mmCIF file of all heavy atoms in Angstrom:
data_model
loop_
_atom_site.group_PDB
_atom_site.id
_atom_site.type_symbol
_atom_site.label_atom_id
_atom_site.label_comp_id
_atom_site.label_asym_id
_atom_site.label_seq_id
_atom_site.Cartn_x
_atom_site.Cartn_y
_atom_site.Cartn_z
ATOM 1 N N VAL A 1 58.910 -18.961 4.030
ATOM 2 C CA VAL A 1 57.754 -19.855 3.906
ATOM 3 C C VAL A 1 57.966 -21.082 4.794
ATOM 4 O O VAL A 1 59.102 -21.528 5.001
ATOM 5 C CB VAL A 1 57.528 -20.290 2.442
ATOM 6 C CG1 VAL A 1 57.421 -19.072 1.538
ATOM 7 C CG2 VAL A 1 58.617 -21.220 1.939
ATOM 8 N N SER A 2 56.860 -21.614 5.309
ATOM 9 C CA SER A 2 56.951 -22.786 6.193
ATOM 10 C C SER A 2 56.347 -24.026 5.560
ATOM 11 O O SER A 2 56.106 -25.015 6.247
ATOM 12 C CB SER A 2 56.261 -22.497 7.529
ATOM 13 O OG SER A 2 54.882 -22.211 7.340
ATOM 14 N N TYR A 3 56.111 -23.996 4.235
ATOM 15 C CA TYR A 3 55.631 -25.186 3.538
ATOM 16 C C TYR A 3 56.775 -25.920 2.835
ATOM 17 O O TYR A 3 56.554 -26.873 2.116
ATOM 18 C CB TYR A 3 54.547 -24.810 2.521
ATOM 19 C CG TYR A 3 54.969 -23.772 1.503
ATOM 20 C CD1 TYR A 3 55.761 -24.112 0.411
ATOM 21 C CD2 TYR A 3 54.573 -22.444 1.633
ATOM 22 C CE1 TYR A 3 56.161 -23.162 -0.521
ATOM 23 C CE2 TYR A 3 54.956 -21.488 0.707
ATOM 24 C CZ TYR A 3 55.749 -21.854 -0.364
ATOM 25 O OH TYR A 3 56.139 -20.905 -1.287
ATOM 26 N N GLY A 4 58.012 -25.461 3.060
ATOM 27 C CA GLY A 4 59.173 -26.039 2.393
ATOM 28 C C GLY A 4 59.957 -26.988 3.274
ATOM 29 O O GLY A 4 59.393 -27.872 3.901
ATOM 30 N N PHE A 5 61.265 -26.776 3.376
ATOM 31 C CA PHE A 5 62.138 -27.728 4.049
ATOM 32 C C PHE A 5 62.185 -27.556 5.559
ATOM 33 O O PHE A 5 62.770 -28.377 6.262
ATOM 34 C CB PHE A 5 63.544 -27.642 3.478
ATOM 35 C CG PHE A 5 63.717 -28.362 2.164
ATOM 36 C CD1 PHE A 5 62.628 -28.695 1.383
ATOM 37 C CD2 PHE A 5 64.977 -28.731 1.713
ATOM 38 C CE1 PHE A 5 62.770 -29.362 0.177
ATOM 39 C CE2 PHE A 5 65.136 -29.399 0.508
ATOM 40 C CZ PHE A 5 64.031 -29.715 -0.261
ATOM 41 N N GLU A 6 61.604 -26.474 6.081
ATOM 42 C CA GLU A 6 61.515 -26.291 7.532
ATOM 43 C C GLU A 6 60.103 -25.816 7.871
ATOM 44 O O GLU A 6 59.579 -24.911 7.206
ATOM 45 C CB GLU A 6 62.558 -25.287 8.026
ATOM 46 C CG GLU A 6 63.975 -25.840 7.910
ATOM 47 C CD GLU A 6 65.054 -24.882 8.361
ATOM 48 O OE1 GLU A 6 64.825 -23.655 8.377
ATOM 49 O OE2 GLU A 6 66.154 -25.363 8.687
ATOM 50 N N ASP A 7 59.506 -26.435 8.896
ATOM 51 C CA ASP A 7 58.115 -26.092 9.200
ATOM 52 C C ASP A 7 58.020 -24.866 10.101
ATOM 53 O O ASP A 7 59.017 -24.322 10.575
ATOM 54 C CB ASP A 7 57.371 -27.294 9.784
ATOM 55 C CG ASP A 7 57.804 -27.655 11.194
ATOM 56 O OD1 ASP A 7 58.662 -26.961 11.771
ATOM 57 O OD2 ASP A 7 57.275 -28.649 11.735
ATOM 58 N N HIS A 8 56.791 -24.429 10.341
ATOM 59 C CA HIS A 8 56.548 -23.201 11.087
ATOM 60 C C HIS A 8 57.117 -23.262 12.501
ATOM 61 O O HIS A 8 57.750 -22.307 12.977
ATOM 62 C CB HIS A 8 55.033 -22.935 11.130
ATOM 63 C CG HIS A 8 54.665 -21.591 11.642
ATOM 64 N ND1 HIS A 8 54.490 -21.328 12.989
ATOM 65 C CD2 HIS A 8 54.438 -20.413 11.005
ATOM 66 C CE1 HIS A 8 54.172 -20.066 13.155
ATOM 67 N NE2 HIS A 8 54.131 -19.483 11.972
ATOM 68 N N THR A 9 56.912 -24.382 13.174
ATOM 69 C CA THR A 9 57.396 -24.515 14.551
ATOM 70 C C THR A 9 58.918 -24.448 14.610
ATOM 71 O O THR A 9 59.490 -23.786 15.482
ATOM 72 C CB THR A 9 56.910 -25.842 15.162
ATOM 73 O OG1 THR A 9 55.477 -25.860 15.161
ATOM 74 C CG2 THR A 9 57.422 -26.011 16.576
ATOM 75 N N ARG A 10 59.577 -25.136 13.691
ATOM 76 C CA ARG A 10 61.045 -25.121 13.675
ATOM 77 C C ARG A 10 61.574 -23.701 13.405
ATOM 78 O O ARG A 10 62.522 -23.246 14.039
ATOM 79 C CB ARG A 10 61.563 -26.098 12.633
ATOM 80 C CG ARG A 10 63.080 -26.240 12.608
ATOM 81 C CD ARG A 10 63.505 -27.421 11.738
ATOM 82 N NE ARG A 10 64.944 -27.545 11.678
ATOM 83 C CZ ARG A 10 65.706 -28.073 12.627
ATOM 84 N NH1 ARG A 10 65.150 -28.543 13.733
ATOM 85 N NH2 ARG A 10 67.019 -28.152 12.503
ATOM 86 N N LEU A 11 60.960 -23.007 12.471
ATOM 87 C CA LEU A 11 61.412 -21.657 12.136
ATOM 88 C C LEU A 11 61.223 -20.691 13.297
ATOM 89 O O LEU A 11 62.114 -19.879 13.589
ATOM 90 C CB LEU A 11 60.651 -21.146 10.910
ATOM 91 C CG LEU A 11 61.007 -21.796 9.568
ATOM 92 C CD1 LEU A 11 59.965 -21.428 8.509
ATOM 93 C CD2 LEU A 11 62.398 -21.373 9.109
ATOM 94 N N THR A 12 60.068 -20.783 13.973
ATOM 95 C CA THR A 12 59.785 -19.823 15.042
ATOM 96 C C THR A 12 60.414 -20.219 16.368
ATOM 97 O O THR A 12 61.061 -19.401 17.031
ATOM 98 C CB THR A 12 58.268 -19.650 15.220
ATOM 99 O OG1 THR A 12 57.659 -20.935 15.439
ATOM 100 C CG2 THR A 12 57.650 -18.992 14.004
ATOM 101 N N ASP A 13 60.244 -21.476 16.777
ATOM 102 C CA ASP A 13 60.712 -21.906 18.103
ATOM 103 C C ASP A 13 62.213 -22.176 18.131
ATOM 104 O O ASP A 13 62.891 -21.846 19.112
ATOM 105 C CB ASP A 13 59.960 -23.158 18.553
ATOM 106 C CG ASP A 13 58.485 -22.891 18.822
ATOM 107 O OD1 ASP A 13 58.070 -21.719 18.690
ATOM 108 O OD2 ASP A 13 57.755 -23.836 19.154
ATOM 109 N N ASN A 14 62.743 -22.790 17.089
ATOM 110 C CA ASN A 14 64.168 -23.137 17.082
ATOM 111 C C ASN A 14 65.052 -21.965 16.644
ATOM 112 O O ASN A 14 66.175 -21.827 17.110
ATOM 113 C CB ASN A 14 64.428 -24.326 16.161
ATOM 114 C CG ASN A 14 63.837 -25.614 16.683
ATOM 115 O OD1 ASN A 14 62.733 -25.616 17.209
ATOM 116 N ND2 ASN A 14 64.543 -26.727 16.542
ATOM 117 N N TYR A 15 64.527 -21.157 15.710
ATOM 118 C CA TYR A 15 65.382 -20.128 15.115
ATOM 119 C C TYR A 15 64.886 -18.700 15.328
ATOM 120 O O TYR A 15 65.520 -17.750 14.853
ATOM 121 C CB TYR A 15 65.514 -20.384 13.608
ATOM 122 C CG TYR A 15 66.213 -21.669 13.282
ATOM 123 C CD1 TYR A 15 65.601 -22.618 12.467
ATOM 124 C CD2 TYR A 15 67.484 -21.957 13.772
ATOM 125 C CE1 TYR A 15 66.243 -23.809 12.142
ATOM 126 C CE2 TYR A 15 68.129 -23.140 13.463
ATOM 127 C CZ TYR A 15 67.500 -24.061 12.642
ATOM 128 O OH TYR A 15 68.131 -25.239 12.328
ATOM 129 N N ASP A 16 63.776 -18.532 16.014
ATOM 130 C CA ASP A 16 63.251 -17.197 16.326
ATOM 131 C C ASP A 16 62.988 -16.346 15.093
ATOM 132 O O ASP A 16 63.152 -15.118 15.119
ATOM 133 C CB ASP A 16 64.215 -16.450 17.263
ATOM 134 C CG ASP A 16 64.312 -17.100 18.632
ATOM 135 O OD1 ASP A 16 63.282 -17.588 19.128
ATOM 136 O OD2 ASP A 16 65.421 -17.132 19.197
ATOM 137 N N VAL A 17 62.573 -16.978 13.996
ATOM 138 C CA VAL A 17 62.144 -16.205 12.833
ATOM 139 C C VAL A 17 60.807 -15.554 13.177
ATOM 140 O O VAL A 17 59.891 -16.238 13.636
ATOM 141 C CB VAL A 17 61.993 -17.101 11.583
ATOM 142 C CG1 VAL A 17 61.457 -16.290 10.406
ATOM 143 C CG2 VAL A 17 63.330 -17.747 11.226
ATOM 144 N N PRO A 18 60.666 -14.242 12.993
ATOM 145 C CA PRO A 18 59.401 -13.584 13.340
ATOM 146 C C PRO A 18 58.216 -14.183 12.579
ATOM 147 O O PRO A 18 58.261 -14.332 11.363
ATOM 148 C CB PRO A 18 59.642 -12.127 12.918
ATOM 149 C CG PRO A 18 61.123 -11.957 12.963
ATOM 150 C CD PRO A 18 61.689 -13.282 12.525
ATOM 151 N N GLU A 19 57.173 -14.506 13.315
ATOM 152 C CA GLU A 19 56.004 -15.143 12.706
ATOM 153 C C GLU A 19 55.384 -14.258 11.628
ATOM 154 O O GLU A 19 54.813 -14.750 10.650
ATOM 155 C CB GLU A 19 54.974 -15.471 13.780
ATOM 156 C CG GLU A 19 53.804 -16.272 13.270
ATOM 157 C CD GLU A 19 52.969 -16.854 14.400
ATOM 158 O OE1 GLU A 19 53.310 -16.630 15.577
ATOM 159 O OE2 GLU A 19 51.968 -17.521 14.085
ATOM 160 N N ASP A 20 55.505 -12.935 11.783
ATOM 161 C CA ASP A 20 54.903 -12.014 10.823
ATOM 162 C C ASP A 20 55.553 -12.089 9.443
ATOM 163 O O ASP A 20 54.982 -11.581 8.468
ATOM 164 C CB ASP A 20 55.003 -10.580 11.331
ATOM 165 C CG ASP A 20 54.087 -10.323 12.519
ATOM 166 O OD1 ASP A 20 53.145 -11.108 12.704
ATOM 167 O OD2 ASP A 20 54.322 -9.351 13.256
ATOM 168 N N LEU A 21 56.723 -12.703 9.346
ATOM 169 C CA LEU A 21 57.422 -12.811 8.061
ATOM 170 C C LEU A 21 57.151 -14.135 7.360
ATOM 171 O O LEU A 21 57.596 -14.337 6.231
ATOM 172 C CB LEU A 21 58.935 -12.669 8.262
ATOM 173 C CG LEU A 21 59.444 -11.338 8.819
ATOM 174 C CD1 LEU A 21 60.957 -11.409 9.008
ATOM 175 C CD2 LEU A 21 59.076 -10.180 7.908
ATOM 176 N N ILE A 22 56.430 -15.042 8.013
ATOM 177 C CA ILE A 22 56.296 -16.409 7.514
ATOM 178 C C ILE A 22 54.968 -16.613 6.790
ATOM 179 O O ILE A 22 53.901 -16.288 7.313
ATOM 180 C CB ILE A 22 56.416 -17.420 8.669
ATOM 181 C CG1 ILE A 22 57.790 -17.292 9.348
ATOM 182 C CG2 ILE A 22 56.217 -18.843 8.156
ATOM 183 C CD1 ILE A 22 57.949 -18.158 10.584
ATOM 184 N N SER A 23 55.047 -17.181 5.589
ATOM 185 C CA SER A 23 53.858 -17.595 4.840
ATOM 186 C C SER A 23 53.706 -19.104 4.985
ATOM 187 O O SER A 23 54.647 -19.857 4.715
ATOM 188 C CB SER A 23 53.996 -17.227 3.361
ATOM 189 O OG SER A 23 54.093 -15.831 3.198
ATOM 190 N N ARG A 24 52.533 -19.539 5.376
ATOM 191 C CA ARG A 24 52.308 -20.964 5.610
ATOM 192 C C ARG A 24 51.960 -21.727 4.327
ATOM 193 O O ARG A 24 52.062 -22.953 4.296
ATOM 194 C CB ARG A 24 51.191 -21.160 6.638
ATOM 195 C CG ARG A 24 51.558 -20.702 8.051
ATOM 196 C CD ARG A 24 50.364 -20.859 8.973
ATOM 197 N NE ARG A 24 50.652 -20.449 10.332
ATOM 198 C CZ ARG A 24 51.020 -21.277 11.313
ATOM 199 N NH1 ARG A 24 51.138 -22.566 11.072
ATOM 200 N NH2 ARG A 24 51.245 -20.822 12.532
ATOM 201 N N THR A 25 51.522 -21.031 3.297
ATOM 202 C CA THR A 25 51.121 -21.683 2.050
ATOM 203 C C THR A 25 51.670 -20.889 0.870
ATOM 204 O O THR A 25 51.964 -19.686 0.993
ATOM 205 C CB THR A 25 49.591 -21.741 1.918
ATOM 206 O OG1 THR A 25 49.089 -20.402 1.794
ATOM 207 C CG2 THR A 25 48.955 -22.428 3.123
ATOM 208 N N PRO A 26 51.783 -21.525 -0.313
ATOM 209 C CA PRO A 26 52.181 -20.777 -1.502
ATOM 210 C C PRO A 26 51.247 -19.605 -1.795
ATOM 211 O O PRO A 26 51.700 -18.525 -2.185
ATOM 212 C CB PRO A 26 52.129 -21.836 -2.614
ATOM 213 C CG PRO A 26 52.369 -23.133 -1.909
ATOM 214 C CD PRO A 26 51.681 -22.981 -0.586
ATOM 215 N N ALA A 27 49.943 -19.807 -1.606
ATOM 216 C CA ALA A 27 48.983 -18.738 -1.868
ATOM 217 C C ALA A 27 49.248 -17.532 -0.970
ATOM 218 O O ALA A 27 49.115 -16.374 -1.402
ATOM 219 C CB ALA A 27 47.561 -19.253 -1.660
ATOM 220 N N GLU A 28 49.617 -17.795 0.272
ATOM 221 C CA GLU A 28 49.896 -16.697 1.197
ATOM 222 C C GLU A 28 51.150 -15.939 0.778
ATOM 223 O O GLU A 28 51.200 -14.705 0.868
ATOM 224 C CB GLU A 28 50.059 -17.241 2.620
ATOM 225 C CG GLU A 28 50.158 -16.145 3.671
ATOM 226 C CD GLU A 28 50.215 -16.692 5.083
ATOM 227 O OE1 GLU A 28 49.723 -17.814 5.301
ATOM 228 O OE2 GLU A 28 50.759 -15.990 5.965
ATOM 229 N N LEU A 29 52.165 -16.648 0.304
ATOM 230 C CA LEU A 29 53.372 -15.970 -0.187
ATOM 231 C C LEU A 29 53.039 -15.085 -1.389
ATOM 232 O O LEU A 29 53.499 -13.945 -1.473
ATOM 233 C CB LEU A 29 54.447 -16.983 -0.575
ATOM 234 C CG LEU A 29 55.694 -16.363 -1.231
ATOM 235 C CD1 LEU A 29 56.432 -15.442 -0.257
ATOM 236 C CD2 LEU A 29 56.634 -17.453 -1.753
ATOM 237 N N VAL A 30 52.250 -15.610 -2.320
ATOM 238 C CA VAL A 30 51.858 -14.830 -3.500
ATOM 239 C C VAL A 30 51.155 -13.547 -3.066
ATOM 240 O O VAL A 30 51.499 -12.452 -3.534
ATOM 241 C CB VAL A 30 50.942 -15.667 -4.425
ATOM 242 C CG1 VAL A 30 50.370 -14.790 -5.536
ATOM 243 C CG2 VAL A 30 51.719 -16.834 -5.028
ATOM 244 N N GLU A 31 50.188 -13.675 -2.175
ATOM 245 C CA GLU A 31 49.422 -12.509 -1.725
ATOM 246 C C GLU A 31 50.325 -11.500 -1.016
ATOM 247 O O GLU A 31 50.243 -10.286 -1.257
ATOM 248 C CB GLU A 31 48.298 -12.955 -0.795
ATOM 249 C CG GLU A 31 47.395 -11.822 -0.333
ATOM 250 C CD GLU A 31 46.252 -12.311 0.539
ATOM 251 O OE1 GLU A 31 46.159 -13.525 0.790
ATOM 252 O OE2 GLU A 31 45.442 -11.461 0.964
ATOM 253 N N ARG A 32 51.187 -11.993 -0.149
ATOM 254 C CA ARG A 32 52.080 -11.125 0.623
ATOM 255 C C ARG A 32 53.038 -10.370 -0.301
ATOM 256 O O ARG A 32 53.272 -9.165 -0.151
ATOM 257 C CB ARG A 32 52.850 -11.968 1.638
ATOM 258 C CG ARG A 32 53.688 -11.163 2.630
ATOM 259 C CD ARG A 32 54.547 -12.109 3.455
ATOM 260 N NE ARG A 32 53.768 -13.039 4.235
ATOM 261 C CZ ARG A 32 53.427 -12.848 5.513
ATOM 262 N NH1 ARG A 32 53.794 -11.741 6.127
ATOM 263 N NH2 ARG A 32 52.730 -13.760 6.164
ATOM 264 N N LEU A 33 53.593 -11.080 -1.267
ATOM 265 C CA LEU A 33 54.592 -10.482 -2.147
ATOM 266 C C LEU A 33 53.960 -9.459 -3.094
ATOM 267 O O LEU A 33 54.495 -8.360 -3.300
ATOM 268 C CB LEU A 33 55.307 -11.578 -2.939
ATOM 269 C CG LEU A 33 56.490 -11.152 -3.807
ATOM 270 C CD1 LEU A 33 57.518 -10.365 -3.008
ATOM 271 C CD2 LEU A 33 57.143 -12.370 -4.439
ATOM 272 N N LEU A 34 52.823 -9.805 -3.672
ATOM 273 C CA LEU A 34 52.150 -8.862 -4.564
ATOM 274 C C LEU A 34 51.757 -7.586 -3.814
ATOM 275 O O LEU A 34 51.879 -6.474 -4.346
ATOM 276 C CB LEU A 34 50.914 -9.515 -5.185
ATOM 277 C CG LEU A 34 51.169 -10.629 -6.201
ATOM 278 C CD1 LEU A 34 49.850 -11.218 -6.681
ATOM 279 C CD2 LEU A 34 52.000 -10.146 -7.382
ATOM 280 N N HIS A 35 51.295 -7.744 -2.585
ATOM 281 C CA HIS A 35 50.940 -6.572 -1.777
ATOM 282 C C HIS A 35 52.160 -5.712 -1.507
ATOM 283 O O HIS A 35 52.103 -4.471 -1.614
ATOM 284 C CB HIS A 35 50.290 -7.023 -0.467
ATOM 285 C CG HIS A 35 49.794 -5.890 0.375
ATOM 286 N ND1 HIS A 35 50.592 -5.265 1.299
ATOM 287 C CD2 HIS A 35 48.573 -5.281 0.432
ATOM 288 C CE1 HIS A 35 49.902 -4.319 1.902
ATOM 289 N NE2 HIS A 35 48.675 -4.296 1.397
ATOM 290 N N ALA A 36 53.292 -6.342 -1.177
ATOM 291 C CA ALA A 36 54.520 -5.599 -0.900
ATOM 292 C C ALA A 36 55.003 -4.823 -2.115
ATOM 293 O O ALA A 36 55.632 -3.765 -1.982
ATOM 294 C CB ALA A 36 55.607 -6.556 -0.423
ATOM 295 N N LEU A 37 54.707 -5.345 -3.307
ATOM 296 C CA LEU A 37 55.159 -4.722 -4.552
ATOM 297 C C LEU A 37 54.093 -3.825 -5.176
ATOM 298 O O LEU A 37 54.260 -3.341 -6.295
ATOM 299 C CB LEU A 37 55.557 -5.810 -5.555
ATOM 300 C CG LEU A 37 56.748 -6.676 -5.147
ATOM 301 C CD1 LEU A 37 56.897 -7.857 -6.100
ATOM 302 C CD2 LEU A 37 58.032 -5.857 -5.100
ATOM 303 N N ASP A 38 52.981 -3.610 -4.458
ATOM 304 C CA ASP A 38 51.875 -2.771 -4.947
ATOM 305 C C ASP A 38 51.312 -3.291 -6.265
ATOM 306 O O ASP A 38 50.951 -2.505 -7.162
ATOM 307 C CB ASP A 38 52.334 -1.312 -5.122
ATOM 308 C CG ASP A 38 52.706 -0.670 -3.797
ATOM 309 O OD1 ASP A 38 51.994 -0.915 -2.809
ATOM 310 O OD2 ASP A 38 53.714 0.054 -3.750
ATOM 311 N N LEU A 39 51.209 -4.610 -6.381
ATOM 312 C CA LEU A 39 50.648 -5.229 -7.577
ATOM 313 C C LEU A 39 49.280 -5.826 -7.238
ATOM 314 O O LEU A 39 49.074 -6.331 -6.132
ATOM 315 C CB LEU A 39 51.572 -6.332 -8.096
ATOM 316 C CG LEU A 39 52.938 -5.878 -8.612
ATOM 317 C CD1 LEU A 39 53.792 -7.085 -8.984
ATOM 318 C CD2 LEU A 39 52.787 -4.947 -9.812
ATOM 319 N N PRO A 40 48.333 -5.797 -8.179
ATOM 320 C CA PRO A 40 46.996 -6.349 -7.919
ATOM 321 C C PRO A 40 47.044 -7.865 -7.795
ATOM 322 O O PRO A 40 47.942 -8.514 -8.349
ATOM 323 C CB PRO A 40 46.186 -5.924 -9.142
ATOM 324 C CG PRO A 40 47.205 -5.727 -10.220
ATOM 325 C CD PRO A 40 48.445 -5.212 -9.532
ATOM 326 N N PRO A 41 46.095 -8.459 -7.088
ATOM 327 C CA PRO A 41 46.037 -9.924 -6.966
ATOM 328 C C PRO A 41 45.883 -10.579 -8.327
ATOM 329 O O PRO A 41 45.342 -9.982 -9.270
ATOM 330 C CB PRO A 41 44.797 -10.165 -6.090
ATOM 331 C CG PRO A 41 44.545 -8.867 -5.406
ATOM 332 C CD PRO A 41 45.005 -7.790 -6.341
ATOM 333 N N ILE A 42 46.350 -11.818 -8.426
ATOM 334 C CA ILE A 42 46.158 -12.610 -9.638
ATOM 335 C C ILE A 42 44.799 -13.275 -9.543
ATOM 336 O O ILE A 42 44.536 -14.016 -8.597
ATOM 337 C CB ILE A 42 47.269 -13.662 -9.790
ATOM 338 C CG1 ILE A 42 48.634 -12.975 -9.894
ATOM 339 C CG2 ILE A 42 47.023 -14.553 -11.003
ATOM 340 C CD1 ILE A 42 49.808 -13.934 -9.854
ATOM 341 N N PRO A 43 43.887 -13.046 -10.503
ATOM 342 C CA PRO A 43 42.547 -13.639 -10.427
ATOM 343 C C PRO A 43 42.626 -15.162 -10.398
ATOM 344 O O PRO A 43 43.474 -15.755 -11.071
ATOM 345 C CB PRO A 43 41.860 -13.142 -11.704
ATOM 346 C CG PRO A 43 42.642 -11.951 -12.134
ATOM 347 C CD PRO A 43 44.059 -12.201 -11.698
ATOM 348 N N PRO A 44 41.774 -15.826 -9.630
ATOM 349 C CA PRO A 44 41.752 -17.296 -9.607
ATOM 350 C C PRO A 44 41.529 -17.855 -10.997
ATOM 351 O O PRO A 44 40.682 -17.369 -11.735
ATOM 352 C CB PRO A 44 40.560 -17.609 -8.690
ATOM 353 C CG PRO A 44 40.391 -16.390 -7.852
ATOM 354 C CD PRO A 44 40.782 -15.230 -8.719
ATOM 355 N N GLY A 45 42.333 -18.856 -11.345
ATOM 356 C CA GLY A 45 42.192 -19.486 -12.644
ATOM 357 C C GLY A 45 42.626 -18.627 -13.805
ATOM 358 O O GLY A 45 42.241 -18.869 -14.951
ATOM 359 N N ALA A 46 43.445 -17.600 -13.521
ATOM 360 C CA ALA A 46 43.850 -16.669 -14.579
ATOM 361 C C ALA A 46 44.689 -17.352 -15.636
ATOM 362 O O ALA A 46 44.657 -16.988 -16.800
ATOM 363 C CB ALA A 46 44.629 -15.495 -13.977
#
C-alpha cells in the first residue's frame, strides 16, 4: 500500500516495486484482497 509510511513514487521509483501490486487507498486494498481470496465485496455501510 502507498497510503502508509512510503508513498507511491518512493515505492516505484526508488525501490522498483511493481505498480500492479500497489494499492493507493485502504478501499483499494480491501477490494484487491477480497478478489484474490474469492470473497464478495463488503457492502457500503455494512
Side-chain angles (χ1 to χ4, degrees):
V1 306
S2 61
Y3 56 78
F5 281 19
E6 291 179 338
D7 71 2
H8 191 273
T9 300
R10 184 169 178 79
L11 289 167
T12 55
D13 293 358
N14 292 40
Y15 296 125
D16 294 323
V17 176
E19 187 167 0
D20 289 341
L21 297 177
I22 299 174
S23 297
R24 292 177 180 264
T25 66
E28 188 176 335
L29 174 64
V30 172
E31 183 177 0
R32 187 188 299 265
L33 186 53
L34 291 178
H35 185 271
L37 296 170
D38 295 320
L39 294 175
I42 299 172

